[in-house]
């Protein structure tokens, strides 16, 4: 079977190129041939040549022109969704029928009265983008999502299968107290921006900093537009001793920190479908404390700890629990490794994808 894998990125966005790069070696072991096309960097001539070559197309973006070309050459198309399809599900998801969802989306994009002309024109751009996404989805033959949550939030009238994003898993020894940093460290990894909820984490830390008899450190790894704002908030909350802003680190620099952390903390405000950072922590037997948002609890697994999204008190209680019960957090981290091994391995993901592609070809 000849598989053409399409994505629209020149660099990493939402784990898409990571997903593709993890899949390729496994697909080679399953009696398939693969080619990868970036609709951002490759020429249209390359698209056409690759489409003509393949038996089936696996798309990873809502590219209307590309899916039309696939249909011109009578190729089956399986589309995978990696991030929210609608703007109205970015912050909060309420189940709707497909028609209700579209109407809700259209109303939310409608420009408000007495706004500058440029913003009214931007609304037209958003409508055109919605039309492109819906049209692409309607043309596709089969649909998959990177988490159960994302599949539900599409609100499509047709089935959406979940195929989790894969991650490479190396043999790992049981994590013990001797493997932890001193003082006990709770780590955030990601972009420093409002939607990541770092202010929620800092405010939760301020609730326990004075009363905790256990020394601890909050390690914040990453960079972004909110860096100075978060540094000022930490200073205003008198957290200079507990919070360490590391800035952007290379993978070989940040992974040992996550591996030796008591827990990874993901206080996201947005409905993250299936962030790789949680799986990366699990591979290193580090437990995750996540917001009840999107696919975060789903990816963290049954051993993860979760709190009500944007609830500072709820998060503060979990942070205090983690510091007071490090052995339980270590056990949860070791269980997270097993959960990831069973559900997110590259071999299992590749086999699921190949089976789905074969089923689509046989249905021709």
């Amino acid at each position: 079977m000849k598989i053409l894998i399409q994505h629209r990125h020149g660099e990493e966005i939402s784990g898409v190129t990571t997903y593709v790069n993890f899949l390729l070696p496994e697909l080679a072991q399953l009696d398939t041939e693969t080619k990868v096309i970036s609709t951002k960097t490759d020429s249209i001539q390359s698209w056409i040549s690759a489409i003509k070559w393949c038996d089936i197309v696996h798309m990873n973006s809502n590219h209307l022109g590309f899916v039309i070309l696939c249909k011109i050459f009578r190729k089956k198309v399986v589309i995978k969704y990696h991030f929210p399809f609608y703007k109205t599900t970015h912050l909060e998801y309420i189940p709707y029928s497909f028609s209700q969802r579209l109407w809700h989306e259209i109303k939310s994009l409608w420009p408000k009265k007495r706004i500058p002309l440029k913003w009214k024109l931007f609304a037209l751009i958003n409508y055109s983008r919605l039309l492109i996404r819906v049209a692409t989805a309607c043309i596709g033959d089969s649909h998959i999502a990177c988490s159960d949550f994302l599949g539900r939030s599409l609100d499509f009238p047709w089935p959406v299968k979940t195929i989790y994003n894969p991650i490479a898993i190396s043999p790992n020894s049981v994590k013990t107290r001797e493997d932890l940093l001193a003082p006990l460290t709770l780590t955030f990894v990601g972009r420093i921006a409002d939607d990541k909820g770092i202010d929620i984490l800092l405010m939760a830390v301020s609730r326990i900093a004075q009363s905790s008899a256990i020394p601890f450190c909050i390690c914040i790894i990453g960079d972004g537009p909110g860096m100075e704002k978060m540094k000022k908030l930490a200073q205003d909350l008198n957290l200079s001793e507990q919070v360490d802003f590391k800035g952007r680190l290379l993978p070989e620099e940040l992974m040992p920190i996550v591996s030796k952390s008591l827990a990874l903390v993901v206080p996201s405000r947005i409905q993250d479908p299936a962030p790789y950072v949680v799986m990366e922590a699990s591979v290193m037997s580090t437990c995750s404390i996540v917001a009840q948002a999107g696919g975060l609890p789903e990816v963290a697994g049954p051993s993860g700890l979760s709190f009500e999204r944007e609830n500072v008190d709820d998060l503060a209680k979990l942070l205090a629990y983690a510091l007071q019960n490090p052995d339980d957090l270590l056990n949860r981290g070791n269980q997270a490794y097993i959960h990831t091994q069973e559900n997110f391995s590259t071999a299992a993901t590749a086999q699921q994808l190949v089976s789905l592609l074969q089923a689509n070809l046989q249905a021709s």
Side-chain angles (χ1 to χ4, degrees):
M1 180 169 57
K2 298 176 181 178
I3 306 168
L4 175 60
I5 301 176
Q6 173 272 347
H7 65 82
R8 64 178 179 86
H9 307 301
E11 57 185 25
E12 180 61 282
I13 298 177
S14 295
V16 176
T17 54
T18 300
Y19 164 74
V20 172
N21 291 334
F22 275 140
L23 270 183
L24 292 176
E26 296 295 339
L27 291 174
Q29 302 296 318
L30 295 174
D31 195 28
T32 67
E33 296 179 59
T34 58
K35 286 186 179 181
V36 179
I37 282 286
S38 167
T39 43
K40 180 177 182 179
T41 60
D42 293 319
S43 67
I44 295 179
Q45 288 81 3
S46 298
W47 304 1
I48 294 173
S49 175
I51 291 169
K52 291 169 69 177
W53 165 85
C54 74
D55 296 316
I56 193 164
V57 179
H58 174 34
M59 290 181 62
N60 290 276
S61 75
N62 302 289
H63 197 296
L64 183 58
F66 192 84
V67 77
I68 288 174
L69 274 176
C70 292
K71 287 302 156 183
I72 288 174
F73 289 99
R74 298 183 178 180
K75 304 295 181 178
K76 285 289 188 77
V77 177
V78 175
I79 304 176
K80 181 167 186 178
Y81 302 91
H82 296 265
F83 29 81
F85 194 83
Y86 311 100
K87 288 185 177 294
T88 49
T89 60
H90 191 64
L91 290 176
E92 187 167 3
Y93 171 63
I94 300 172
Y96 286 121
S97 68
F98 188 48
S99 59
Q100 288 173 328
R101 172 61 64 193
L102 289 178
W103 179 238
H104 187 53
E105 187 81 355
I106 289 167
K107 287 194 297 182
S108 74
L109 296 175
W110 189 259
K112 305 296 185 291
K113 294 180 180 179
R114 298 177 183 176
I115 63 171
L117 177 61
K118 66 177 181 179
W119 293 114
K120 293 181 180 178
L121 294 176
F122 188 64
L124 293 178
I125 293 173
N126 282 329
Y127 281 131
S128 67
R129 289 173 176 170
L130 175 62
L131 178 62
I132 287 170
R133 292 196 301 272
V134 172
T136 304
C138 289
I139 295 172
D141 297 286
S142 187
H143 305 265
I144 54 181
C146 63
S147 66
D148 287 342
F149 165 79
L150 185 59
R152 291 193 307 272
S153 72
L154 294 169
D155 288 323
F156 287 162
W158 49 77
V160 179
K161 180 180 175 61
T162 297
I163 295 182
Y164 289 111
N165 289 338
I167 189 166
I169 303 172
S170 302
N172 201 9
S173 58
V174 174
K175 189 170 174 180
T176 66
R177 282 208 189 198
E178 287 70 31
D179 299 313
L180 297 177
L181 291 168
L184 293 175
T185 299
L186 303 166
T187 298
F188 168 90
V189 179
R191 188 166 176 265
I192 312 299
D194 289 344
D195 59 2
K196 297 300 182 181
I198 302 162
D199 56 322
I200 298 167
L201 172 58
L202 293 177
M203 287 188 286
V205 171
S206 72
R207 305 280 172 91
I208 65 170
Q210 300 303 319
S211 60
S212 177
I214 304 168
F216 69 93
C217 174
I218 302 297
C219 181
I220 296 180
I221 301 173
D223 201 356
M227 176 65 89
E228 294 307 314
K229 180 180 176 182
M230 291 302 102
K231 284 184 175 180
K232 184 178 185 305
L233 177 59
Q235 187 175 12
D236 292 344
L237 294 171
N238 298 315
L239 297 176
S240 299
E241 293 185 4
Q242 284 90 3
V243 180
D244 183 8
F245 288 91
K246 295 285 190 183
R248 186 187 298 273
L249 298 180
L250 296 172
E252 57 266 28
E253 297 172 317
L254 71 88
M255 290 305 181
I257 298 174
V258 175
S259 177
K260 296 177 181 180
S261 295
L262 180 63
L264 176 80
V265 186
V266 189
S268 184
R269 282 190 167 87
I270 60 174
Q271 304 292 333
D272 271 327
Y276 258 107
V277 66
V278 175
M279 286 190 282
E280 288 166 345
S282 297
V283 165
M284 293 178 282
S285 297
T286 298
C287 175
S288 291
I289 300 173
V290 302
Q292 291 164 4
L296 281 168
E298 182 181 342
V299 176
S303 64
L305 295 170
S306 67
F307 62 96
E308 183 183 2
R309 184 169 61 101
E310 298 188 275
N311 189 321
V312 174
D313 289 333
D314 206 9
L315 175 55
K317 290 175 184 176
L318 286 183
L319 298 181
Y321 176 84
L323 295 171
Q324 293 163 9
N325 299 275
D327 288 336
D328 183 49
L329 269 288
L330 285 167
N331 180 59
R332 288 174 179 273
N334 291 321
Q335 291 300 314
Y337 174 81
I338 296 171
H339 174 76
T340 301
Q341 194 175 42
E342 292 174 347
N343 292 276
F344 309 132
S345 72
T346 54
T349 299
Q351 184 59 67
Q352 290 171 28
L353 178 63
V354 167
S355 296
L356 181 66
L357 297 178
Q358 288 173 336
N360 273 268
L361 283 176
Q362 291 167 2
S364 297

